Amino acid sequence: MMEKIISCNGIAICTENVGNPEDPPILLIMGAMSSLDWWDEDFCSALAAEGRYVIRYDHRDLGKSVVYEPGTSNYTITDLADDAIHVLDAYALEKAHVVGMSMGGMVGQILAVRNPERVQSLTLIASSVFGTEQEKLPPMDQKILDHHGKGSSLDWSDRDAVISYLAGGWRTLAGSKPFEKERMYRLAGREMNRARQLQSRFNHALLGGGEEFYDRMGEIAVPAVVIHGTEDPALPFEHGKALARAIPHSQLISLEGSGHELHRTDWDTIIASIVKTSSLIENNR
């Protein structure tokens, strides 16, 4: 994949791309506390092989993008949506097919409401409704919060311990499908190698803003697909069902036995859905 560091208003965002720039663009937006590395390079390459130009990027406080002092709050979720627009601008893309994972799916919802002219289609993976209804849905499993709580006592200079912690975080998010230990440890190692300051990831826990876009999913007019694991411990399956109900004419695809993850056994289903959804637009151009 080709790396490209972009800058807007002094904010550096690290991006990577693969595929033919003449193909329909896919913008991948990862979730909270997760660098671009967790869009597995093999996943991106497989999507590009389907005739798509794939771009992934690090949110602020992750990877090689701008980082701030741990424990500080310097931006809102709306600012993260602005970052996505800046990525499109840096690649001279008028619009793109947006694929968001977890919090990235909420960023995608903001984009589709606020910047509908920049979003061609929307694929929301393991995400939830952006708004007050989320408070009525089942909460996150306590084991996930307990795991992240261990970060405060972790020796961040101990490479093996940090990689085990990062990979272990994905274990707490897994469903009943076999945990992909080797792949998770490999991706955790890559994230550690790239990160400017790993502890800054926890600033995402302080993320706020975007209230003006709460409960406005009914305004989303682009083709939308909601993909959700039936055993998601972070945002239980009810979140996916609620999101599909909230977006007009959206489709819900359930991943049986999957958790809050991009399990390799689900890649074919996810990629086929992204290609099909984006083709609805491309075939009518």
PDB file of all heavy atoms in Angstrom, residues 124-145:
ATOM      1  N   LEU A 124     -22.079   0.294   6.951  1.00  0.00           N
ATOM      2  CA  LEU A 124     -21.848   0.487   8.380  1.00  0.00           C
ATOM      3  C   LEU A 124     -21.663  -0.872   9.046  1.00  0.00           C
ATOM      4  O   LEU A 124     -22.592  -1.679   9.105  1.00  0.00           O
ATOM      5  CB  LEU A 124     -23.027   1.239   8.991  1.00  0.00           C
ATOM      6  CG  LEU A 124     -23.383   2.560   8.279  1.00  0.00           C
ATOM      7  CD1 LEU A 124     -24.662   3.141   8.846  1.00  0.00           C
ATOM      8  CD2 LEU A 124     -22.239   3.554   8.389  1.00  0.00           C
ATOM      9  N   ILE A 125     -20.462  -1.112   9.537  1.00  0.00           N
ATOM     10  CA  ILE A 125     -20.105  -2.407  10.115  1.00  0.00           C
ATOM     11  C   ILE A 125     -19.982  -2.281  11.629  1.00  0.00           C
ATOM     12  O   ILE A 125     -19.248  -1.420  12.137  1.00  0.00           O
ATOM     13  CB  ILE A 125     -18.773  -2.916   9.527  1.00  0.00           C
ATOM     14  CG1 ILE A 125     -18.831  -2.950   7.984  1.00  0.00           C
ATOM     15  CG2 ILE A 125     -18.426  -4.291  10.078  1.00  0.00           C
ATOM     16  CD1 ILE A 125     -17.486  -3.210   7.332  1.00  0.00           C
ATOM     17  N   ALA A 126     -20.679  -3.147  12.361  1.00  0.00           N
ATOM     18  CA  ALA A 126     -20.583  -3.187  13.827  1.00  0.00           C
ATOM     19  C   ALA A 126     -20.747  -1.788  14.436  1.00  0.00           C
ATOM     20  O   ALA A 126     -20.005  -1.394  15.330  1.00  0.00           O
ATOM     21  CB  ALA A 126     -19.241  -3.801  14.251  1.00  0.00           C
ATOM     22  N   SER A 127     -21.737  -1.051  13.956  1.00  0.00           N
ATOM     23  CA  SER A 127     -21.943   0.316  14.412  1.00  0.00           C
ATOM     24  C   SER A 127     -23.287   0.432  15.134  1.00  0.00           C
ATOM     25  O   SER A 127     -23.934  -0.574  15.455  1.00  0.00           O
ATOM     26  CB  SER A 127     -21.853   1.276  13.224  1.00  0.00           C
ATOM     27  OG  SER A 127     -21.750   2.607  13.670  1.00  0.00           O
ATOM     28  N   SER A 128     -23.702   1.662  15.374  1.00  0.00           N
ATOM     29  CA  SER A 128     -24.961   1.895  16.081  1.00  0.00           C
ATOM     30  C   SER A 128     -25.557   3.208  15.613  1.00  0.00           C
ATOM     31  O   SER A 128     -24.921   3.977  14.882  1.00  0.00           O
ATOM     32  CB  SER A 128     -24.732   1.940  17.590  1.00  0.00           C
ATOM     33  OG  SER A 128     -25.961   2.080  18.298  1.00  0.00           O
ATOM     34  N   VAL A 129     -26.780   3.464  16.046  1.00  0.00           N
ATOM     35  CA  VAL A 129     -27.421   4.733  15.728  1.00  0.00           C
ATOM     36  C   VAL A 129     -26.650   5.864  16.401  1.00  0.00           C
ATOM     37  O   VAL A 129     -26.211   5.744  17.544  1.00  0.00           O
ATOM     38  CB  VAL A 129     -28.888   4.744  16.199  1.00  0.00           C
ATOM     39  CG1 VAL A 129     -29.734   3.794  15.373  1.00  0.00           C
ATOM     40  CG2 VAL A 129     -28.994   4.366  17.674  1.00  0.00           C
ATOM     41  N   PHE A 130     -26.462   6.957  15.682  1.00  0.00           N
ATOM     42  CA  PHE A 130     -25.794   8.114  16.259  1.00  0.00           C
ATOM     43  C   PHE A 130     -26.867   9.029  16.833  1.00  0.00           C
ATOM     44  O   PHE A 130     -27.518   9.779  16.118  1.00  0.00           O
ATOM     45  CB  PHE A 130     -24.968   8.853  15.208  1.00  0.00           C
ATOM     46  CG  PHE A 130     -24.153   9.981  15.792  1.00  0.00           C
ATOM     47  CD1 PHE A 130     -23.121   9.717  16.670  1.00  0.00           C
ATOM     48  CD2 PHE A 130     -24.445  11.302  15.497  1.00  0.00           C
ATOM     49  CE1 PHE A 130     -22.376  10.748  17.235  1.00  0.00           C
ATOM     50  CE2 PHE A 130     -23.714  12.350  16.053  1.00  0.00           C
ATOM     51  CZ  PHE A 130     -22.670  12.062  16.928  1.00  0.00           C
ATOM     52  N   GLY A 131     -27.072   8.906  18.157  1.00  0.00           N
ATOM     53  CA  GLY A 131     -28.102   9.719  18.763  1.00  0.00           C
ATOM     54  C   GLY A 131     -28.601   9.159  20.078  1.00  0.00           C
ATOM     55  O   GLY A 131     -28.012   8.241  20.664  1.00  0.00           O
ATOM     56  N   THR A 132     -29.715   9.682  20.539  1.00  0.00           N
ATOM     57  CA  THR A 132     -30.232   9.357  21.863  1.00  0.00           C
ATOM     58  C   THR A 132     -30.754   7.935  21.960  1.00  0.00           C
ATOM     59  O   THR A 132     -30.789   7.361  23.052  1.00  0.00           O
ATOM     60  CB  THR A 132     -31.348  10.339  22.230  1.00  0.00           C
ATOM     61  OG1 THR A 132     -32.371  10.305  21.214  1.00  0.00           O
ATOM     62  CG2 THR A 132     -30.809  11.760  22.326  1.00  0.00           C
ATOM     63  N   GLU A 133     -31.182   7.353  20.834  1.00  0.00           N
ATOM     64  CA  GLU A 133     -31.730   5.999  20.884  1.00  0.00           C
ATOM     65  C   GLU A 133     -30.695   4.988  21.352  1.00  0.00           C
ATOM     66  O   GLU A 133     -31.045   3.959  21.933  1.00  0.00           O
ATOM     67  CB  GLU A 133     -32.269   5.582  19.510  1.00  0.00           C
ATOM     68  CG  GLU A 133     -32.985   4.225  19.541  1.00  0.00           C
ATOM     69  CD  GLU A 133     -33.536   3.813  18.189  1.00  0.00           C
ATOM     70  OE1 GLU A 133     -33.467   4.614  17.242  1.00  0.00           O
ATOM     71  OE2 GLU A 133     -34.037   2.689  18.097  1.00  0.00           O
ATOM     72  N   GLN A 134     -29.424   5.292  21.122  1.00  0.00           N
ATOM     73  CA  GLN A 134     -28.369   4.368  21.517  1.00  0.00           C
ATOM     74  C   GLN A 134     -28.406   4.082  23.020  1.00  0.00           C
ATOM     75  O   GLN A 134     -28.079   2.981  23.467  1.00  0.00           O
ATOM     76  CB  GLN A 134     -26.993   4.928  21.117  1.00  0.00           C
ATOM     77  CG  GLN A 134     -25.862   3.937  21.312  1.00  0.00           C
ATOM     78  CD  GLN A 134     -24.521   4.460  20.849  1.00  0.00           C
ATOM     79  OE1 GLN A 134     -23.488   4.098  21.397  1.00  0.00           O
ATOM     80  NE2 GLN A 134     -24.513   5.328  19.848  1.00  0.00           N
ATOM     81  N   GLU A 135     -28.841   5.069  23.798  1.00  0.00           N
ATOM     82  CA  GLU A 135     -28.902   4.909  25.251  1.00  0.00           C
ATOM     83  C   GLU A 135     -29.924   3.858  25.673  1.00  0.00           C
ATOM     84  O   GLU A 135     -29.840   3.306  26.774  1.00  0.00           O
ATOM     85  CB  GLU A 135     -29.246   6.248  25.901  1.00  0.00           C
ATOM     86  CG  GLU A 135     -28.235   7.350  25.602  1.00  0.00           C
ATOM     87  CD  GLU A 135     -28.705   8.704  26.095  1.00  0.00           C
ATOM     88  OE1 GLU A 135     -29.809   8.763  26.687  1.00  0.00           O
ATOM     89  OE2 GLU A 135     -27.976   9.699  25.900  1.00  0.00           O
ATOM     90  N   LYS A 136     -30.883   3.558  24.807  1.00  0.00           N
ATOM     91  CA  LYS A 136     -31.931   2.585  25.132  1.00  0.00           C
ATOM     92  C   LYS A 136     -31.541   1.156  24.748  1.00  0.00           C
ATOM     93  O   LYS A 136     -32.274   0.216  25.050  1.00  0.00           O
ATOM     94  CB  LYS A 136     -33.226   2.962  24.408  1.00  0.00           C
ATOM     95  CG  LYS A 136     -33.686   4.391  24.641  1.00  0.00           C
ATOM     96  CD  LYS A 136     -34.855   4.753  23.735  1.00  0.00           C
ATOM     97  CE  LYS A 136     -35.218   6.219  23.831  1.00  0.00           C
ATOM     98  NZ  LYS A 136     -36.301   6.598  22.883  1.00  0.00           N
ATOM     99  N   LEU A 137     -30.407   1.012  24.075  1.00  0.00           N
ATOM    100  CA  LEU A 137     -29.981  -0.291  23.568  1.00  0.00           C
ATOM    101  C   LEU A 137     -29.038  -0.970  24.551  1.00  0.00           C
ATOM    102  O   LEU A 137     -28.480  -0.326  25.443  1.00  0.00           O
ATOM    103  CB  LEU A 137     -29.311  -0.097  22.204  1.00  0.00           C
ATOM    104  CG  LEU A 137     -30.228   0.482  21.110  1.00  0.00           C
ATOM    105  CD1 LEU A 137     -29.423   0.886  19.888  1.00  0.00           C
ATOM    106  CD2 LEU A 137     -31.307  -0.529  20.736  1.00  0.00           C
ATOM    107  N   PRO A 138     -28.844  -2.294  24.417  1.00  0.00           N
ATOM    108  CA  PRO A 138     -27.987  -3.034  25.362  1.00  0.00           C
ATOM    109  C   PRO A 138     -26.586  -2.449  25.453  1.00  0.00           C
ATOM    110  O   PRO A 138     -26.016  -2.016  24.443  1.00  0.00           O
ATOM    111  CB  PRO A 138     -27.963  -4.443  24.759  1.00  0.00           C
ATOM    112  CG  PRO A 138     -29.230  -4.544  23.981  1.00  0.00           C
ATOM    113  CD  PRO A 138     -29.461  -3.177  23.406  1.00  0.00           C
ATOM    114  N   PRO A 139     -26.015  -2.419  26.661  1.00  0.00           N
ATOM    115  CA  PRO A 139     -24.704  -1.792  26.863  1.00  0.00           C
ATOM    116  C   PRO A 139     -23.540  -2.696  26.462  1.00  0.00           C
ATOM    117  O   PRO A 139     -23.709  -3.889  26.207  1.00  0.00           O
ATOM    118  CB  PRO A 139     -24.686  -1.541  28.374  1.00  0.00           C
ATOM    119  CG  PRO A 139     -25.499  -2.684  28.925  1.00  0.00           C
ATOM    120  CD  PRO A 139     -26.608  -2.898  27.920  1.00  0.00           C
ATOM    121  N   MET A 140     -22.377  -2.102  26.441  1.00  0.00           N
ATOM    122  CA  MET A 140     -21.130  -2.817  26.171  1.00  0.00           C
ATOM    123  C   MET A 140     -20.832  -3.817  27.279  1.00  0.00           C
ATOM    124  O   MET A 140     -21.111  -3.564  28.461  1.00  0.00           O
ATOM    125  CB  MET A 140     -19.986  -1.799  26.061  1.00  0.00           C
ATOM    126  CG  MET A 140     -18.619  -2.382  25.797  1.00  0.00           C
ATOM    127  SD  MET A 140     -17.344  -1.089  25.699  1.00  0.00           S
ATOM    128  CE  MET A 140     -17.866  -0.218  24.209  1.00  0.00           C
ATOM    129  N   ASP A 141     -20.274  -4.947  26.907  1.00  0.00           N
ATOM    130  CA  ASP A 141     -19.893  -5.974  27.880  1.00  0.00           C
ATOM    131  C   ASP A 141     -18.795  -5.421  28.805  1.00  0.00           C
ATOM    132  O   ASP A 141     -17.822  -4.824  28.340  1.00  0.00           O
ATOM    133  CB  ASP A 141     -19.376  -7.214  27.141  1.00  0.00           C
ATOM    134  CG  ASP A 141     -19.259  -8.427  28.051  1.00  0.00           C
ATOM    135  OD1 ASP A 141     -18.619  -8.319  29.115  1.00  0.00           O
ATOM    136  OD2 ASP A 141     -19.794  -9.488  27.682  1.00  0.00           O
ATOM    137  N   GLN A 142     -18.946  -5.625  30.090  1.00  0.00           N
ATOM    138  CA  GLN A 142     -18.005  -5.089  31.076  1.00  0.00           C
ATOM    139  C   GLN A 142     -16.579  -5.593  30.858  1.00  0.00           C
ATOM    140  O   GLN A 142     -15.606  -4.885  31.168  1.00  0.00           O
ATOM    141  CB  GLN A 142     -18.469  -5.449  32.490  1.00  0.00           C
ATOM    142  CG  GLN A 142     -17.619  -4.867  33.602  1.00  0.00           C
ATOM    143  CD  GLN A 142     -17.618  -3.350  33.619  1.00  0.00           C
ATOM    144  OE1 GLN A 142     -18.647  -2.725  33.381  1.00  0.00           O
ATOM    145  NE2 GLN A 142     -16.459  -2.750  33.895  1.00  0.00           N
ATOM    146  N   LYS A 143     -16.418  -6.776  30.267  1.00  0.00           N
ATOM    147  CA  LYS A 143     -15.069  -7.335  30.071  1.00  0.00           C
ATOM    148  C   LYS A 143     -14.229  -6.434  29.163  1.00  0.00           C
ATOM    149  O   LYS A 143     -12.996  -6.391  29.304  1.00  0.00           O
ATOM    150  CB  LYS A 143     -15.150  -8.740  29.478  1.00  0.00           C
ATOM    151  CG  LYS A 143     -15.672  -8.811  28.054  1.00  0.00           C
ATOM    152  CD  LYS A 143     -15.742 -10.230  27.522  1.00  0.00           C
ATOM    153  CE  LYS A 143     -16.282 -10.261  26.079  1.00  0.00           C
ATOM    154  NZ  LYS A 143     -16.402 -11.645  25.555  1.00  0.00           N
ATOM    155  N   ILE A 144     -14.870  -5.723  28.252  1.00  0.00           N
ATOM    156  CA  ILE A 144     -14.147  -4.825  27.343  1.00  0.00           C
ATOM    157  C   ILE A 144     -13.616  -3.630  28.122  1.00  0.00           C
ATOM    158  O   ILE A 144     -12.457  -3.235  27.984  1.00  0.00           O
ATOM    159  CB  ILE A 144     -15.072  -4.366  26.204  1.00  0.00           C
ATOM    160  CG1 ILE A 144     -15.556  -5.572  25.404  1.00  0.00           C
ATOM    161  CG2 ILE A 144     -14.357  -3.367  25.292  1.00  0.00           C
ATOM    162  CD1 ILE A 144     -16.656  -5.244  24.402  1.00  0.00           C
ATOM    163  N   LEU A 145     -14.452  -3.054  28.968  1.00  0.00           N
ATOM    164  CA  LEU A 145     -14.038  -1.926  29.790  1.00  0.00           C
ATOM    165  C   LEU A 145     -12.943  -2.336  30.764  1.00  0.00           C
ATOM    166  O   LEU A 145     -11.986  -1.584  30.995  1.00  0.00           O
ATOM    167  CB  LEU A 145     -15.239  -1.371  30.556  1.00  0.00           C
ATOM    168  CG  LEU A 145     -16.405  -0.879  29.692  1.00  0.00           C
ATOM    169  CD1 LEU A 145     -17.583  -0.469  30.568  1.00  0.00           C
ATOM    170  CD2 LEU A 145     -15.964   0.288  28.817  1.00  0.00           C
TER     171      LEU A 145
END
